[in-house]
Amino acid sequence: QVQLQESGPGLVKPSQTLSLTCTVSGGSISTDTYYCNWIRQTAGKGLEWLGRIYTTGRTNHNPSLESRVTISVDTSKNQFSLKLTSVTAEDTAVYFCAREVYGWDSGSWYFDLWGRGTLVTVSS
Amino acid sequence: DIEMTQSPSTLSASVGDRVTIVCRASQSITSYLNWYQQKPGDAPKLLIYAASTLHSGVPSRFSGSGSGTDFTLTISSLQPEDFATYYCQNSYTIPLTFGGGTKVELK
């Protein structure tokens, strides 16, 4: 059974870079095909999609974050990573990684598996 | 960006009630609409994808309908474990966007 687990520092200083990892267990990124998404949640802005990477390496990002977001994949470690640069207090949130798969029965994509999320606080 | 608007933001109901949540997209997303349930401290869980297809393992009391810009999630008979927050999600175009959520609470 595939599981996702986010990890990384819980506290980041303003102007620094937030770095998180999503480790996939119970499956192989090298052989499976899906998008790994990064989504964050705050009480004020709700659920916000940050971006995604296909297991082959193709990426999409939320234009609202401009060039601050970098998403990558490391097949040797079975991990996806998120980097968010120049953080401010507004980047304080619970960060989730979520698997997005294609439903051949419906022709649509959806998030069928989520990590438990990790709280990142931006503060000096 | 496609804006997703849910109503109501909070819904008070009793066990056994029929509950309907509305999600409206700012432009047509055809049937590329997903619904999730989230309980406090947990990640969202997929309920319905493609507007009306029930995800594996989800009870049949949940159903979804709609296309274009207007969608609904219905719980036919509310159970104690259904008190949670529900979100709709546009999967039609980038950036993927979510509704603001509807909290279903005990009346």
Side-chain angles (χ1 to χ4, degrees):
Chain A
Q1 179 175 341
V2 178
Q3 292 184 316
L4 307 179
Q5 176 69 59
E6 305 89 348
S7 60
L11 181 64
V12 180
K13 288 181 167 46
S15 80
Q16 294 190 342
T17 296
L18 179 161
S19 297
L20 295 176
T21 297
C22 177
T23 300
V24 180
S25 59
S28 172
I29 294 175
S30 301
T31 56
D32 295 337
T33 52
Y34 54 84
Y35 282 106
C36 178
N37 291 255
W38 287 98
I39 297 161
R40 66 185 180 183
Q41 186 171 31
T42 62
K45 294 185 71 175
L47 290 163
E48 181 181 21
W49 178 78
L50 304 181
R52 67 184 183 184
I53 186 165
Y54 203 59
T55 44
T56 56
R58 183 177 65 198
T59 59
N60 300 104
H61 299 92
N62 192 326
S64 70
L65 293 166
E66 300 176 340
S67 58
R68 296 175 56 214
V69 170
T70 301
I71 298 174
S72 59
V73 59
D74 187 335
T75 55
S76 66
K77 295 181 178 179
N78 230 31
Q79 291 178 337
F80 299 91
S81 296
L82 168 73
K83 291 189 187 301
L84 181 65
T85 61
S86 305
V87 298
T88 69
E90 289 196 348
D91 296 309
T92 294
V94 175
Y95 286 76
F96 296 99
C97 60
R99 185 177 73 174
E100 185 183 10
V101 297
Y102 183 73
W104 291 99
D105 57 340
S106 62
S108 70
W109 292 85
Y110 47 86
F111 305 124
D112 74 327
L113 184 65
W114 296 63
R116 299 190 64 175
T118 186
L119 173 63
V120 179
T121 301
V122 178
S123 175
S124 56
Chain B
D1 299 5
I2 295 179
E3 184 175 355
M4 308 299 292
T5 303
Q6 286 183 236
S7 60
S9 56
T10 305
L11 189 158
S12 298
S14 301
V15 173
D17 284 354
R18 181 181 180 88
V19 166
T20 297
I21 298 169
V22 174
C23 176
R24 180 161 290 145
S26 59
Q27 64 189 74
S28 176
I29 57 172
T30 64
S31 294
Y32 293 106
L33 187 284
N34 304 320
W35 288 99
Y36 302 86
Q37 176 195 67
Q38 186 179 32
K39 296 181 179 178
D42 290 344
K45 292 181 180 178
L46 177 67
L47 295 175
I48 288 170
Y49 60 94
S52 61
T53 304
L54 203 64
H55 183 50
S56 175
V58 175
S60 59
R61 62 181 179 271
F62 291 93
S63 64
S65 65
S67 66
T69 61
D70 296 326
F71 302 87
T72 59
L73 172 69
T74 299
I75 308 172
S76 61
S77 178
L78 195 66
Q79 297 302 299
E81 60 268 31
D82 300 336
F83 291 99
T85 301
Y86 295 84
Y87 295 93
C88 60
Q89 178 239 329
N90 143 50
S91 64
Y92 179 70
T93 189
I94 299 296
L96 306 179
T97 49
F98 292 85
T102 295
K103 183 179 182 180
V104 177
E105 63 179 23
L106 184 63
K107 182 184 288 183

